[in-house]
Amino acid sequence: MAPDDSEPNEGSEAYPLSPEFVAQVGEALEAGDAAAVLALVEPLHEADIADLIGLISPEERPKLIAALGPVFNPEVLSELDETVRAEVLETAKPAELAAAVSQLDTDDAVDILEDLDEDKRQEVLDVLSAEERTAVEEGLSYPEESAGRLMRRGLVAVPQFWTVGQTIDHLRESDDLPDDFHEIFVVDPRYHPVGAIPLNRIMRAKRPVAVADIMETEPDLIPATMDQEEVAHIFKQYNLLSAPVVDGSGRLVGVITVDDVVDVIQEEAEEDILRLAGVSDVGLNESVRDVSKTRLLWLSVNLCTAVLASWVISLFDVTIEKLVALAVLMPIVASMGGNAGHQTMTVAVRALATRELMPANALRVVKREVLVGLINGLLLALIIGVVAGVWFSSPLLGFVLGWALVINFFVAGLCGVLIPIGLQRLGVDPAVASSVFLTTVTDVVGFFSFLGLAAWILL
Amino acid sequence: MAPDDSEPNEGSEAYPLSPEFVAQVGEALEAGDAAAVLALVEPLHEADIADLIGLISPEERPKLIAALGPVFNPEVLSELDETVRAEVLETAKPAELAAAVSQLDTDDAVDILEDLDEDKRQEVLDVLSAEERTAVEEGLSYPEESAGRLMRRGLVAVPQFWTVGQTIDHLRESDDLPDDFHEIFVVDPRYHPVGAIPLNRIMRAKRPVAVADIMETEPDLIPATMDQEEVAHIFKQYNLLSAPVVDGSGRLVGVITVDDVVDVIQEEAEEDILRLAGVSDVGLNESVRDVSKTRLLWLSVNLCTAVLASWVISLFDVTIEKLVALAVLMPIVASMGGNAGHQTMTVAVRALATRELMPANALRVVKREVLVGLINGLLLALIIGVVAGVWFSSPLLGFVLGWALVINFFVAGLCGVLIPIGLQRLGVDPAVASSVFLTTVTDVVGFFSFLGLAAWILL
């Protein structure tokens, strides 16, 4: 961008992949005009090129990648959607992959290699230089979704006894620095981190000052085996930009920067949304077969719940035969209870994930949710009770419907909090299973309370 | 932490607010032992102190804050949960607030002041120094949830013609630098940003090098009026650490750092989860009244949906009277269709939010979801058809149930994508309204197809 044509409000800069742009690329591809494709795509950022590849149809992808040539670089590969990347990796030769992998930071290289099958991964590792191989293998040795997988090994560490001047000279003269770093770590002779200095503080200090005098003395140390969700929580809670990662014996082995954590935060929040709806974490590019399969399990469990609810209804078949209005109205109680319970459950699941909901305030939250359930239940019961009473010219039917609704709302509020808390105590992810249990409860209680009250009072 | 007792695996460091710890604080508070409270709480990070205040019961909060004295500093105030902060702000005097606000970065100060009512805010502004007032008022002049509200005004900008040496001398000598900065902006004479230099690049360069020679020449400029969700998307997509914010005429007015964006990403993902369940963005500390109110609207809309579904059932009351098994089985069709549609809808809502779902791939995603719906519908129809056929000794009933399920799954897959896309085209947040529309469709289609087929085939 030339100094003088900066246009602060050009919204298009934020959305380089407009429908028109994607259509243009598609036309150029269909016309087989590789030069035109390249001219369109080359100015894009790697992340946008990766998105573009995911966005166009699977049939056009190989053509696009061929047209891009060297513009399809390792950075683009590492930004690709996982499913699309798996497709690309399948056809790539080990030597090509090794060349790409060796150009990436360790964390990105590990990210790509962990998706390969055992054989292909070994082939790629064999082609890498000894140094790169060791780095990548070490990365792969940490558990999936751990700090060790997230971290980069490139960092700047200086001894405690150095001065600011020595540090700056080191930075100017060393050829071996990482591309990017935001702070300098201070280590003791055993290479244990004892402090960290943000770069701006070094720049402001005079040369003779000792690094030990200006460092932050309590860096937040991240064990390499820590789960990435916990890493994200620490970064968020303490507003960290980067943090040192240490191995089991406390040695500095890498650094995690906040831009890697941003992706984790996004992923973890996304996982919760999808899990609440019974969807595994799959992208838009997954095949029909894989998607069907992952969703089918949850639907099957729900089918059992639905059959259970039907069985409850069947207990009252004689009652329904005598008063068919019950069949007409009964779904209201179950579905409204389900909705109310879902509200409470969603709040609870998220509050557990962000650690706002803790044993210390659990009782208070349960009380609040039960009260909210009762109040909303009473208000809606009043409305629906009158509506049903008028509709079927039976005030008593309205009365029964209203009371069943209040009962179900009370239970929904109670179980909406208790189910996620209970599942977490049992070590089960509350986002995965809460919804099924809750629906079971609100369906069974909904049908049973309405039909039961009706059998008792109306007949 | 002393250099030699670093314990890399102490999980407790990550969870300072253990149940035991919170209980200890509670006991000290009840005993009225302010010194013990202070001894427990003082070592905590500001963000953890803020969490602790939110975690204990509302009755104990004023006692805790009183016991903390100056440990309850402006940073803690700015980290507090919004509802709790509103409570605290209500009782604070304008002079106290002004003192606190003047110690914070502009973005945090604005964040606190925007929650005050008009009168109180004016009182606080009147007590601030002219300079602080101007800064805060300018911050408040930007729309809520815009880049202008997120940004800090403190930044380092140098002219194009400077050298690295001049820049470093400026950093060493200036008293007026922000506490924290990660890059230096290069500006032209009109104060338009023309480049940015990460600090590590300056430190590596020799003194005589011109800043213009080592700067990134195309900084991602953020207009001050840009919505924060869009800002977050840009940071995520391009892995930015910080970005310059410009006003309408392109002048550099502030900087947004990634730690502020982390909160936005978290909030935006959270908003979507909660909205999908019909919950507004409220914390665990909101009062029962406020929570009831915000949830009641969504429940009322759902009540209308439920009544509509009941009306569909009532069209078939004669059919049900003849065959009460229909009443027993009909909730299965509606609820399974609802579940399947919910899966699709959740994927679509998230993909729209993360911009993975675009006009370019919409048709492909719709096709995939319809196919997934049909396949899963057929498989589950087979199971439930056999179950129902055996249960009620009527193969034909099982056949009708199965077909109704397939129809509802097909519609659920189709509408699960089309409803969110359609709502977004209309400018409505798909996370807010999709769920209600979808449930209406799956309920109505579910009951109508099952009871309709039954009336036609079985009777």
Side-chain angles (χ1 to χ4, degrees):
Chain A
M1 185 183 307
D4 281 347
D5 65 20
S6 55
E7 295 241 321
N9 279 313
E10 48 180 341
S12 64
E13 222 198 348
Y15 295 108
L17 305 182
S18 64
E20 297 75 34
F21 179 84
V22 178
Q24 267 180 301
V25 174
E27 280 162 32
L29 275 174
E30 240 164 79
D33 187 350
V37 173
L38 197 60
L40 282 165
V41 177
E42 200 169 11
L44 295 181
H45 185 282
E46 282 93 354
D48 293 325
I49 299 180
D51 285 355
L52 175 67
I53 296 172
L55 217 47
I56 62 166
S57 72
E59 300 76 46
E60 281 173 325
R61 266 176 219 146
K63 281 193 269 174
L64 175 56
I65 291 172
L68 292 182
V71 168
F72 183 70
N73 62 25
E75 296 291 337
V76 176
L77 185 65
S78 109
E79 295 275 358
L80 273 184
D81 170 85
E82 270 189 41
T83 320
V84 178
R85 196 164 69 200
E87 271 175 43
V88 173
L89 292 180
E90 224 164 82
T91 56
K93 296 195 189 70
E96 286 170 12
L97 275 180
V101 159
S102 66
Q103 278 179 264
L104 290 170
D105 286 330
T106 329
D107 57 335
D108 293 330
V110 168
D111 193 30
I112 288 179
L113 286 172
E114 69 185 2
D115 292 341
L116 292 180
D117 60 52
E118 201 64 45
D119 292 351
K120 191 138 187 181
R121 187 194 298 165
Q122 199 51 53
E123 280 181 68
V124 175
L125 285 173
D126 290 342
V127 194
L128 285 178
S129 77
E131 196 190 340
E132 288 160 356
R133 186 168 55 238
T134 317
V136 170
E137 278 177 343
E138 198 187 303
L140 286 169
S141 75
Y142 294 110
E144 273 186 52
E145 312 217 321
S146 71
R149 293 271 176 119
L150 273 185
M151 75 184 185
R152 296 168 201 211
R153 299 158 59 91
L155 53 81
V156 181
V158 302
Q160 280 172 285
F161 51 83
W162 274 23
T163 62
V164 168
Q166 280 173 297
T167 307
I168 291 180
D169 292 343
H170 169 67
L171 293 179
R172 291 219 179 111
E173 283 149 23
S174 173
D175 298 328
D176 196 29
L177 296 177
D179 287 344
D180 238 348
F181 54 96
H182 317 297
E183 58 186 343
I184 286 176
F185 298 109
V186 181
V187 289
D188 70 11
R190 295 176 305 161
Y191 217 72
H192 289 195
V194 295
I197 318 178
L199 289 185
N200 71 71
R201 205 181 290 174
I202 297 193
M203 299 195 70
R204 282 189 249 192
K206 306 270 188 226
R207 289 184 59 94
V209 172
V211 292
D213 289 340
I214 57 167
M215 69 187 186
E216 305 270 357
T217 52
E218 296 190 12
D220 292 280
L221 302 178
I222 310 280
T225 51
M226 184 183 270
D227 185 80
Q228 63 175 13
E229 196 164 355
E230 181 132 8
V231 175
H233 178 73
I234 292 177
F235 267 75
K236 235 171 10 190
Q237 180 79 340
Y238 305 127
N239 293 326
L240 304 182
L241 265 188
S242 68
V245 180
V246 292
D247 65 15
S249 63
R251 270 174 52 91
L252 180 62
V253 290
V255 56
I256 293 180
T257 50
V258 67
D259 54 312
D260 301 314
V261 174
V262 163
D263 294 337
V264 174
I265 292 175
Q266 171 89 14
E267 276 169 33
E268 298 286 347
E270 195 130 293
E271 250 177 43
D272 274 1
I273 303 190
L274 297 173
R275 281 181 182 165
L276 278 173
V279 184
S280 320
D281 199 357
V282 292
L284 290 188
N285 284 302
E286 290 272 335
S287 70
V288 169
R289 217 186 121 205
D290 289 345
V291 175
S292 294
K293 234 166 51 183
T294 59
R295 296 199 193 155
L296 200 55
L297 174 68
W298 197 75
L299 291 173
S300 306
V301 176
N302 273 285
L303 188 62
C304 300
T305 299
V307 171
L308 181 65
S310 288
W311 174 76
V312 172
I313 299 172
S314 73
L315 298 178
F316 298 95
D317 53 359
V318 180
T319 317
I320 293 172
E321 229 162 8
K322 286 191 197 147
L323 191 60
V324 78
L326 297 179
V328 172
L329 295 173
M330 68 187 183
I332 294 177
V333 183
S335 89
M336 291 303 292
N339 285 328
H342 231 79
Q343 291 183 321
T344 297
M345 182 197 72
T346 306
V347 170
V349 166
R350 273 318 284 169
L352 286 170
T354 58
R355 294 180 192 159
E356 280 176 83
L357 179 54
M358 308 263 268
N361 60 351
L363 190 64
R364 181 150 43 98
V365 174
V366 172
K367 274 189 203 157
R368 186 189 78 166
E369 292 299 326
V370 168
L371 259 176
V372 168
L374 274 176
I375 292 172
N376 285 349
L378 280 167
L379 288 170
L380 294 169
L382 213 64
I383 299 172
I384 196 62
V386 170
V387 169
V390 172
W391 185 359
F392 294 96
S393 319
S394 159
L396 209 54
L397 180 61
F399 176 82
V400 165
L401 180 65
W403 271 110
L405 198 74
V406 172
I407 294 171
N408 210 14
F409 265 60
F410 168 78
V411 173
L414 190 66
C415 295
V417 201
L418 290 184
I419 288 174
I421 292 180
L423 287 171
Q424 198 184 47
R425 291 253 171 107
L426 294 173
V428 180
D429 181 350
V432 173
S434 293
S435 185
V436 170
F437 284 106
L438 182 70
T439 311
T440 309
V441 172
T442 53
D443 274 2
V444 168
V445 171
F447 290 127
F448 195 86
S449 60
F450 178 54
L451 298 174
L453 280 177
W456 181 42
I457 295 179
L458 296 177
L459 299 179
Chain B
M1 186 184 306
D4 281 351
D5 63 21
S6 55
E7 297 240 322
N9 279 314
E10 48 181 343
S12 64
E13 220 198 350
Y15 295 107
L17 304 182
S18 65
E20 298 75 36
F21 178 86
V22 178
Q24 268 181 299
V25 174
E27 280 162 30
L29 275 175
E30 237 164 78
D33 188 348
V37 173
L38 197 59
L40 282 165
V41 177
E42 202 170 10
L44 295 181
H45 186 282
E46 282 93 355
D48 293 324
I49 300 180
D51 284 355
L52 176 67
I53 295 173
L55 219 46
I56 63 165
S57 71
E59 301 77 47
E60 282 173 325
R61 265 174 221 149
K63 280 193 271 175
L64 175 57
I65 291 172
L68 292 181
V71 169
F72 182 70
N73 62 26
E75 296 290 337
V76 176
L77 185 65
S78 110
E79 295 275 358
L80 274 183
D81 169 89
E82 269 189 41
T83 320
V84 178
R85 195 163 71 199
E87 270 175 44
V88 173
L89 292 180
E90 223 164 82
T91 57
K93 295 195 188 72
E96 286 169 11
L97 275 180
V101 159
S102 66
Q103 280 179 262
L104 291 170
D105 286 330
T106 329
D107 57 334
D108 294 329
V110 168
D111 193 30
I112 288 179
L113 286 174
E114 70 185 2
D115 292 340
L116 292 179
D117 59 52
E118 201 66 44
D119 292 352
K120 192 136 185 182
R121 187 194 298 165
Q122 198 51 53
E123 280 179 68
V124 175
L125 285 173
D126 290 343
V127 193
L128 286 177
S129 78
E131 197 190 340
E132 288 159 355
R133 186 167 55 237
T134 315
V136 170
E137 278 177 344
E138 198 186 305
L140 286 168
S141 74
Y142 293 110
E144 271 185 54
E145 311 215 321
S146 71
R149 292 271 174 117
L150 274 184
M151 75 184 183
R152 295 169 201 208
R153 299 161 59 90
L155 53 82
V156 181
V158 301
Q160 280 171 282
F161 53 82
W162 274 23
T163 63
V164 168
Q166 280 173 298
T167 306
I168 292 181
D169 292 342
H170 170 67
L171 294 179
R172 291 218 179 112
E173 284 149 24
S174 173
D175 299 327
D176 197 27
L177 297 177
D179 289 344
D180 238 347
F181 54 96
H182 318 297
E183 58 185 343
I184 286 176
F185 297 109
V186 181
V187 289
D188 70 10
R190 294 176 305 162
Y191 217 71
H192 289 196
V194 295
I197 318 178
L199 289 185
N200 71 70
R201 204 181 290 174
I202 295 192
M203 299 194 70
R204 283 190 248 191
K206 307 270 188 224
R207 290 184 58 93
V209 173
V211 292
D213 290 339
I214 57 168
M215 70 186 184
E216 305 268 358
T217 52
E218 296 191 10
D220 292 278
L221 302 178
I222 309 277
T225 50
M226 184 183 269
D227 185 79
Q228 63 176 12
E229 196 164 353
E230 180 133 8
V231 174
H233 177 72
I234 292 178
F235 268 76
K236 239 175 2 195
Q237 181 79 340
Y238 305 125
N239 294 325
L240 304 182
L241 266 187
S242 66
V245 180
V246 293
D247 65 15
S249 63
R251 271 174 53 93
L252 179 63
V253 291
V255 57
I256 293 180
T257 50
V258 67
D259 55 309
D260 301 312
V261 174
V262 163
D263 295 335
V264 174
I265 291 174
Q266 171 89 15
E267 277 170 32
E268 298 286 346
E270 194 130 294
E271 251 177 41
D272 273 1
I273 303 189
L274 296 173
R275 282 181 183 165
L276 277 174
V279 183
S280 321
D281 197 356
V282 292
L284 291 187
N285 284 302
E286 290 270 335
S287 70
V288 170
R289 220 188 117 204
D290 289 345
V291 175
S292 296
K293 238 171 39 188
T294 60
R295 295 198 192 156
L296 201 54
L297 174 67
W298 198 74
L299 291 172
S300 308
V301 176
N302 274 283
L303 189 61
C304 300
T305 298
V307 171
L308 181 65
S310 289
W311 173 76
V312 172
I313 299 171
S314 73
L315 299 178
F316 298 93
D317 53 358
V318 181
T319 315
I320 294 172
E321 228 162 12
K322 288 189 195 149
L323 189 61
V324 78
L326 297 179
V328 172
L329 295 173
M330 68 184 183
I332 295 177
V333 184
S335 89
M336 290 303 292
N339 285 328
H342 232 79
Q343 291 183 321
T344 298
M345 180 196 74
T346 306
V347 171
V349 166
R350 274 317 284 168
L352 285 171
T354 57
R355 295 181 192 160
E356 279 177 82
L357 180 52
M358 309 263 268
N361 61 350
L363 189 64
R364 181 151 42 100
V365 174
V366 172
K367 275 190 205 157
R368 186 189 80 167
E369 292 299 327
V370 168
L371 258 175
V372 168
L374 273 176
I375 292 173
N376 285 348
L378 280 166
L379 287 169
L380 294 169
L382 212 65
I383 300 172
I384 195 64
V386 171
V387 170
V390 172
W391 185 1
F392 293 96
S393 318
S394 159
L396 210 54
L397 180 60
F399 176 81
V400 164
L401 180 63
W403 271 108
L405 198 74
V406 173
I407 293 171
N408 209 15
F409 266 60
F410 169 78
V411 172
L414 190 67
C415 295
V417 200
L418 290 184
I419 288 174
I421 293 180
L423 287 170
Q424 199 186 45
R425 291 252 171 110
L426 294 172
V428 179
D429 181 350
V432 172
S434 295
S435 187
V436 170
F437 283 105
L438 182 70
T439 312
T440 309
V441 172
T442 53
D443 274 3
V444 168
V445 172
F447 291 127
F448 195 86
S449 60
F450 179 55
L451 297 174
L453 280 177
W456 180 42
I457 296 179
L458 296 176
L459 300 179

